[in-house]
Structures are given as structure tokens and as C-alpha cells.
Amino acid sequence: MDYDNFRLFDHLAELVCCIDECKFNPRERELFPFYYSEAMQIIDRVESQGYSSSKLRLYLNQINEYFKINDVLMKTIDDTHNEIAQIMGEESKHLYGE
């Protein structure tokens, strides 16, 4: 492995660590699309040179799907909380005559 490929794999390892941090640190979550895109570009590049990274690609795609599902779930939860707050506000007006 030449030095350029070593640097690519080293950078890829750093990106995977950052992606893992996104799973556990909500403040890092907004950086996930950048990390994911860059990691996939590196994977494409190293695969074009004959290296196998199918397990890493699968892992990153699973994390990407996790975040997509999580985003939908969080939006659903937020919408539900907003609906409950609205109902409670209307009930409060009805009960207390506000």
C-alpha cells in the first residue's frame, strides 16, 4: 500500500469515528451528511483501486438508514407533542373560560 492510499484509509477511519460520534452526540448529528458523503467518496475511490470495502459500505448505509428513520420518528414525536399541546390549550380555555 502506497502512502496516498494509507492516507485515504487513515482519513476514512477518522470519518468513521466521527460518524460513530454522531450516533451518540446530538450536537454532532448535523455533521453526519458531510461525513457520510465524504466517506462514501473515499470508499468509491479505494474500491476503484481494487480494495474491498463492502462491509464498511454496508455499515455506513445502515447508519444512514438509521438516521433517516430516526428523523422521521422524531418529526412524528414532535408533531404529536404539538397536537397534544394544542388540545390541552383548547381544553384549558374551555375549563377555565380563558
Side-chain angles (χ1 to χ4, degrees):
M1 178 182 302
D2 63 17
Y3 183 70
D4 287 336
N5 282 337
F6 175 79
R7 285 188 17 214
L8 273 178
F9 280 108
D10 185 55
H11 185 55
L12 185 56
E14 288 178 23
L15 287 170
V16 170
C17 289
C18 291
I19 287 169
D20 283 341
E21 182 68 23
C22 289
K23 292 188 309 189
F24 305 109
N25 185 344
R27 285 183 256 158
E28 293 289 321
R29 170 61 179 94
E30 65 191 34
L31 297 173
F32 172 76
F34 168 75
Y35 296 146
Y36 176 78
S37 175
E38 191 169 343
M40 294 308 274
Q41 288 174 5
I42 292 173
I43 287 173
D44 289 342
R45 189 168 165 192
V46 298
E47 284 180 344
S48 73
Q49 296 176 11
Y51 294 98
S52 175
S53 57
S54 58
K55 287 183 181 180
L56 181 57
R57 181 183 293 275
L58 177 64
Y59 173 71
L60 294 177
N61 284 332
Q62 287 173 338
I63 293 173
N64 189 39
E65 288 302 311
Y66 163 80
F67 279 130
K68 286 180 184 177
I69 291 168
N70 191 48
D71 288 347
V72 170
L73 179 61
M74 293 309 292
K75 182 176 180 342
T76 302
I77 290 170
D78 287 346
D79 290 348
T80 302
H81 284 172
N82 290 338
E83 288 177 27
I84 291 170
Q86 183 179 4
I87 291 169
M88 289 177 69
E90 291 171 5
E91 286 296 316
S92 175
K93 288 179 186 176
H94 175 71
L95 290 173
Y96 301 110
E98 294 177 5

